[in-house]
Amino acid sequence: MTDGALPPPASSLPSKSPLSTLWRDHFRDYVMTQVDPELSTIPLAAYCFMTGWIDAVSFSAIFVWCAFQTGNSVQLSLALARLFQGPPGHRDSSFHLADKQALTSLITFIFGAFIGRIGDRIGPKTRLWLFLGTILQALLTMAASIALWKSGQGSIASTRAVPAWSNADTYACLGLISASMGLQGIMGKRVNTQFATTIVLTTVWCELMADPKLFVMRLVSSRDHKIIAVTSVFVGGFCSRAILQSIGSPAALGIGTGLRILIALSWLFVPVKRPAAPEKA
């Protein structure tokens, strides 16, 4: 540079090094890559485990399954039919507490499932969406834990007639965990494996019993993954109940939050789906 010449303007200098650009592009490609559904057994089994875990919390307190919406739907139909029971003027037109809780769970579950449609824009099988969606499940579970802790109510109902939850904070808790299960369900469904939605076992049980290779004495993914799903839900419910009857449901949901964060991180390490090899002529 000759004497008296001005240095080049800052805008003309390179803003980022080639190395940083390379790392940024590599990171974007990594998180936007689709996982291999056949190699997603661990996080999907963990999803099933969380189904049992969360359901044990709600059922122990109010006898409502926040993930299994078949029962809630039928319960609401029975509540509607009750309006026509008995002679006019002597019919039960009250909205029972159990019916209110079932409606809360159903509506928020649908809302959570609807949020899962965001993944269709990002890519339902990309590492990014599976990570972010599971983190959102963890945040909903954490908020539910805080709401339940603030409610000051119990964790286990003595009878169906006397549920442990009844105030506004517990309604918020129920809605939040139901929404988290709706989100988990649509995410599991979009991965499209033998684990199905990871929350409804009726279909899994039927498909397991109908599997033509049910009694084959070797590894069969179509059968074995269904067995893993059923077992994971059972173990999750058992562990959750054992914990909540010892330290309470808020703590159980707090632990569930940590588990969901670990599941979210595990999605980042699921291998990618390899393109199919070209057929030989």
Side-chain angles (χ1 to χ4, degrees), residues 97-175:
L97 177 60
D99 300 331
K100 294 177 183 178
Q101 292 168 333
L103 180 61
T104 299
S105 179
L106 177 60
I107 292 176
T108 51
F109 179 92
I110 293 172
F111 176 73
F114 185 79
I115 292 176
R117 296 179 67 89
I118 297 174
D120 294 341
R121 294 185 174 274
I122 300 175
K125 297 180 184 179
T126 60
R127 289 190 177 112
L128 178 63
W129 167 243
L130 292 169
F131 170 78
L132 292 178
T134 310
I135 286 293
L136 181 54
Q137 296 171 33
L139 292 175
L140 291 170
T141 308
M142 179 180 67
S145 176
I146 295 173
L148 186 56
W149 171 70
K150 293 286 289 183
S151 73
Q153 296 199 306
S155 301
I156 301 176
S158 55
T159 63
R160 288 180 179 269
V162 186
W165 299 352
S166 59
N167 63 21
D169 288 331
T170 58
Y171 273 97
C173 172
L174 176 61

Side-chain angles (χ1 to χ4, degrees), residues 137-215:
Q137 296 171 33
L139 292 175
L140 291 170
T141 308
M142 179 180 67
S145 176
I146 295 173
L148 186 56
W149 171 70
K150 293 286 289 183
S151 73
Q153 296 199 306
S155 301
I156 301 176
S158 55
T159 63
R160 288 180 179 269
V162 186
W165 299 352
S166 59
N167 63 21
D169 288 331
T170 58
Y171 273 97
C173 172
L174 176 61
L176 289 165
I177 57 177
S178 297
S180 75
M181 297 312 301
L183 177 57
Q184 176 185 308
I186 194 171
M187 290 178 65
K189 180 63 176 177
R190 288 291 195 263
V191 178
N192 192 26
T193 65
Q194 300 295 332
F195 288 89
T197 62
T198 73
I199 60 175
V200 179
L201 291 187
T202 305
T203 302
V204 174
W205 273 116
C206 292
E207 291 179 350
L208 177 61
M209 294 300 102
D211 196 314
K213 299 181 180 179
L214 178 61
F215 298 107

Side-chain angles (χ1 to χ4, degrees), residues 31-115:
V31 297
M32 292 304 296
T33 302
Q34 293 190 3
V35 302
D36 188 343
E38 296 300 322
L39 300 178
S40 303
T41 302
I42 292 177
L44 289 174
Y47 268 9
C48 294
F49 179 88
M50 291 309 303
T51 297
W53 187 285
I54 301 296
D55 262 327
V57 173
S58 63
F59 189 80
S60 297
I62 57 176
F63 300 98
V64 168
W65 304 108
C66 63
F68 308 146
Q69 295 303 322
T70 302
N72 293 335
S73 300
V74 175
Q75 181 177 337
L76 292 173
S77 71
L78 298 179
L80 183 61
R82 193 167 54 241
L83 298 175
F84 306 96
Q85 179 180 348
H90 297 83
R91 294 173 178 173
D92 184 4
S93 60
S94 61
F95 197 15
H96 296 184
L97 177 60
D99 300 331
K100 294 177 183 178
Q101 292 168 333
L103 180 61
T104 299
S105 179
L106 177 60
I107 292 176
T108 51
F109 179 92
I110 293 172
F111 176 73
F114 185 79
I115 292 176

